[in-house]
Amino acid sequence: MTRDERRRIIPLAMRAALASVAMACTLLIVKAYAAWHTGSIAMLGSLADTGLDLLASLVTLYGVKLAAEPADHDHRFGHGKAEALAALFQVVLITASAIGIAVQAIRRFSDPVANEDAGLGIGVSVAAIVATFVLLAYQRSIIRKTGSIAIMADNVHYQSDMLLNVAVIAALVLDQYVGISGADPVFGIAIAVWLAWGAFQASSQAIDMLMDKEWPEAQRAAFMEVAARQPGIRGIHDFRTRRAGSHEFAQFHMEVDAALSVRDAHDIVERVERALRDTFPRVETLIHLDPEGHVDTDNPLVEADVTPHWFSKRL
């Protein structure tokens, strides 16, 4: 990413992250009053989810801010993985909240308490749905302009928040207006399960990032397809990829005609780098040059190389 691109993208992503924090703070206060006034377990679950929304938005804000900082002497690949560490901390809080809500809901089965003023809880949930819809639309406009992965993840999280608010409305309506007294704790347990599932997904993504999991096969193939179209390449091997926060890294060994001069071979490398940068502007690419026929790999897991078989045939 060039310096000009960074100046343009980061402020937009920061605005979207700040908008998420502001909305989460507002909803947290309103839902806290509604949960206290109605005594609804489902509303309590929605309150907990909003608290986690606030934490997630703060993590997103931190991640976007950190992504704007260039690599330094001690972190030559940047600071992207700090976002994954923060996500794992968030997972612990999500899991604890889910357990607490489930325990409270189970107790409510044996010691039922009538909900009060369901209209307030429903009104708060409807307001939360409208506010979330506006935020989602704004985030999507920022994503189209910046392609920010952090804002994209926050957008997916708030989509699930809309479903939770719908569940709260259903629980309050069934409990107070339809007369199904067990609806509220049942929805409370469902929300706890939803939160636990979200924690599992978040932990999986964070662990994948920390473990340098390879890109999806379709993304790897698309990257190699661009490289394959460049003239002068005789072969590619030892192709490896990884992700760190909003940054992505790719490296591979590229074979060229062994009779080329150093200058001509270097020109081919620069041409390939420009083509990849134009198509994948947020990927940092490292290319090691080899003479044709000389497979010089620095990867000890040579047998684990998963460069598509079709690729070598097309060069």
Side-chain angles (χ1 to χ4, degrees):
M1 186 188 301
T2 66
R3 192 171 294 175
D4 290 340
E5 287 175 328
R6 188 183 298 276
R7 289 197 188 102
R8 177 181 63 84
I9 288 173
I10 295 302
L12 289 175
M14 287 284 286
R15 288 180 211 168
L18 286 170
S20 298
V21 172
M23 194 193 79
C25 287
T26 302
L27 291 180
L28 190 68
I29 295 172
V30 175
K31 287 186 179 182
Y33 174 75
W36 170 74
H37 194 71
T38 63
S40 168
I41 294 297
M43 179 58 75
L44 180 64
S46 182
L47 171 64
D49 182 66
T50 300
L52 296 172
D53 286 345
L54 176 58
L55 180 59
S57 297
L58 289 171
V59 170
T60 300
L61 180 61
Y62 168 76
V64 170
K65 181 179 181 299
L66 194 59
E69 297 181 9
D72 56 33
H73 180 271
D74 295 324
H75 305 88
R76 296 299 178 92
F77 290 97
H79 306 80
K81 289 192 177 182
E83 189 175 337
L85 294 174
L88 289 179
F89 174 73
Q90 179 183 352
V91 165
V92 174
L93 296 182
I94 294 174
T95 304
S97 297
I99 293 173
I101 293 169
V103 169
Q104 188 69 15
I106 293 172
R107 287 178 179 173
R108 182 62 63 89
F109 278 118
S110 58
D111 184 20
V113 177
N115 292 333
E116 300 177 3
D117 199 1
L120 173 62
I122 293 172
V124 168
S125 297
V126 170
I129 290 173
V130 173
T132 303
F133 181 81
V134 173
L135 176 64
L136 290 174
Y138 177 64
Q139 286 182 327
R140 289 192 187 101
S141 69
I142 298 298
I143 291 170
R144 284 194 296 270
K145 295 175 182 177
T146 67
S148 171
I149 296 175
I151 301 302
M152 199 177 301
D154 205 39
N155 185 265
V156 173
H157 183 77
Y158 276 103
Q159 289 177 36
S160 67
D161 192 52
M162 288 188 67
L163 297 178
L164 289 174
N165 283 297
V166 171
V168 170
I169 293 173
L172 290 171
V173 169
L174 291 173
D175 185 83
Q176 196 159 48
Y177 296 117
V178 180
I180 303 177
S181 59
D184 184 47
V186 167
F187 274 92
I189 292 175
I191 291 173
V193 171
W194 180 271
L195 290 174
W197 173 248
F200 171 76
Q201 289 182 312
S203 65
S204 297
Q205 294 172 357
I207 291 172
D208 285 345
M209 184 181 295
L210 292 172
M211 294 295 292
D212 291 332
K213 184 177 180 178
E214 287 286 331
W215 295 349
E217 189 58 38
Q219 185 178 358
R220 286 170 53 84
F223 193 85
M224 284 285 92
E225 181 72 23
V226 174
R229 292 198 300 264
Q230 310 312 312
I233 300 180
R234 299 296 180 85
I236 288 179
H237 59 275
D238 198 18
F239 176 44
R240 288 180 281 177
T241 60
R242 64 187 182 89
R243 188 188 307 269
S246 59
H247 301 282
E248 294 181 294
F249 300 89
Q251 63 186 76
F252 55 86
H253 288 222
M254 186 179 78
E255 298 176 43
V256 297
D257 187 345
L260 289 177
S261 66
V262 173
R263 178 181 295 276
D264 290 339
H266 182 264
D267 289 343
I268 294 175
V269 171
E270 286 200 326
R271 188 163 55 242
V272 173
E273 288 177 338
R274 282 195 301 269
L276 291 172
R277 186 168 55 251
D278 290 343
T279 309
F280 305 92
R282 294 180 181 86
V283 177
E284 181 176 322
T285 305
L286 177 64
I287 301 175
H288 177 86
L289 198 61
D290 284 335
E292 183 179 10
H294 181 72
V295 180
D296 176 22
T297 178
D298 58 1
N299 182 4
L301 304 177
V302 178
E303 296 180 359
D305 185 18
V306 289
T307 302
H309 296 299
W310 56 264
F311 179 71
S312 59
K313 296 177 181 178
R314 296 181 56 177
L315 294 180

